[in-house]
Amino acid sequence: MSAFRIRPATGEDSRVLADMLVEAVNGNAERARSRVNVLEDPSFVRYIAGWKRPGDFGCVAEDANGVAVGACWARLFPADDPGSGFVAVGVPELTLGVYRQWRAQGAGRALLRELALAASAHGYARLSLSVERTNFAQRLYTSEGYVAVASGANADTMVRTVR
Ligand SMILES: CC(C)(COP(=O)(O)OP(=O)(O)OC[C@H]1O[C@@H](n2cnc3c(N)ncnc32)[C@H](O)[C@@H]1OP(=O)(O)O)[C@@H](O)C(=O)NCCC(=O)NCCS
C-alpha cells in the first residue's frame, strides 16, 4: 500500500476534479480525448461545472506532500437533464479518477469507499455511476457493491446502497 491520505474535497479542488474528469472520460483505453475537448463538451463538463455547489460532495487522495493522487466525487442531476449514470432524482452520480502514476496502488478503491461513507453521512441512500463495459473499473465497482441496473450500447449504469 502506498502512502496517501484521503480528505474531503473542497471548493479549491476544481483543477484536480477537471483532471480526473478527463481521465474518467478516457477510461483505461489508449484513445484519448484532449483536455480541451472534454472540458468544452457540455455532456462532460456538467460533472464539474460550478464545483462545489450545494449538494456536491467528494474526496481527494493526496501523497505525503499534499499533492493530489486522485479524486472521487458525486453530484445530483435533475430528471430533465440527467447524467449518463442517472437513475433517479436524489441519487448522486459519482466520478472517479486516479493520476496515471498512482494507479494500481489502492487509491481508486480507497476513494470509492470513502465516497460511500460521505454519501451516507450526507443522508443519501444510493450512489450511481456509468462505466464502459470494456473498463476494468467495472469489476472494481462490482467488488464494492455496485450492481448494473441498465445497459446502453457501450456502458452500464450501476447503483449501490450506502446505508
Ligand atoms: C479506475 C481507476 C480509478 C482505479 O484506480 P486505481 O487506484 O488504479 O485502482 P486500485 O489500485 O484501487 O485497484 C482497484 C482494483 O482494480 C484492479 N486493477 C488496478 N489496475 C488494473 C488494471 N490496469 N487492469 C485490471 N485491473 C486493475 C486492482 O487489481 C484492484 O483489484 P484488487 O483489489 O482485487 O487487486 C483508475 O485506474 C483510473 O483513474 N482509471 C482511469 C479513469 C477511469 O476509468 N475512471 C472510471 C470511469 S467509470
Side-chain angles (χ1 to χ4, degrees), residues 21-22 25-26 33-49 75 77 81 84:
L21 178 64
V22 174
V25 168
N26 285 314
R33 295 181 65 147
S34 73
R35 181 183 181 85
V36 169
N37 182 283
V38 171
L39 298 182
E40 287 185 347
D41 186 329
S43 68
F44 297 133
V45 81
R46 62 185 166 168
Y47 288 94
I48 55 169
R75 161 168 281 186
F77 291 93
D81 186 22
S84 322

Side-chain angles (χ1 to χ4, degrees), residues 4-118:
F4 56 81
R5 70 176 192 106
I6 297 182
R7 61 164 175 80
T10 73
E12 309 299 306
D13 290 315
S14 305
R15 171 69 189 232
V16 176
L17 269 54
D19 288 350
M20 295 303 99
L21 178 64
V22 174
E23 296 298 331
V25 168
N26 285 314
N28 289 93
E30 284 306 313
R31 71 181 157 74
R33 295 181 65 147
S34 73
R35 181 183 181 85
V36 169
N37 182 283
V38 171
L39 298 182
E40 287 185 347
D41 186 329
S43 68
F44 297 133
V45 81
R46 62 185 166 168
Y47 288 94
I48 55 169
W51 177 268
K52 181 177 184 225
R53 290 182 191 154
D56 289 346
F57 61 97
C59 41
V60 172
E62 295 179 333
D63 72 8
N65 298 313
V67 176
V69 162
C72 189
W73 69 98
R75 161 168 281 186
L76 292 167
F77 291 93
D80 60 0
D81 186 22
S84 322
F86 181 87
V87 293
V89 171
V91 179
E93 180 178 343
L94 73 80
T95 307
L96 170 67
V98 171
Y99 286 99
R100 286 173 191 272
Q101 63 271 30
W102 277 93
R103 290 186 190 163
Q105 298 175 59
R109 190 184 293 282
L111 282 163
L112 207 46
R113 288 183 176 173
E114 195 64 28
L115 192 82
L117 293 175

Side-chain angles (χ1 to χ4, degrees), residues 85-148:
F86 181 87
V87 293
V89 171
V91 179
E93 180 178 343
L94 73 80
T95 307
L96 170 67
V98 171
Y99 286 99
R100 286 173 191 272
Q101 63 271 30
W102 277 93
R103 290 186 190 163
Q105 298 175 59
R109 190 184 293 282
L111 282 163
L112 207 46
R113 288 183 176 173
E114 195 64 28
L115 192 82
L117 293 175
S120 180
H122 282 77
Y124 296 113
R126 293 185 289 167
L127 279 168
S128 76
L129 60 86
S130 173
V131 60
E132 289 192 353
R133 281 187 289 281
T134 53
N135 190 338
F136 80 83
Q138 184 162 35
R139 292 199 297 279
L140 166 62
Y141 296 136
T142 299
S143 71
E144 289 297 322
Y146 291 82
V147 175

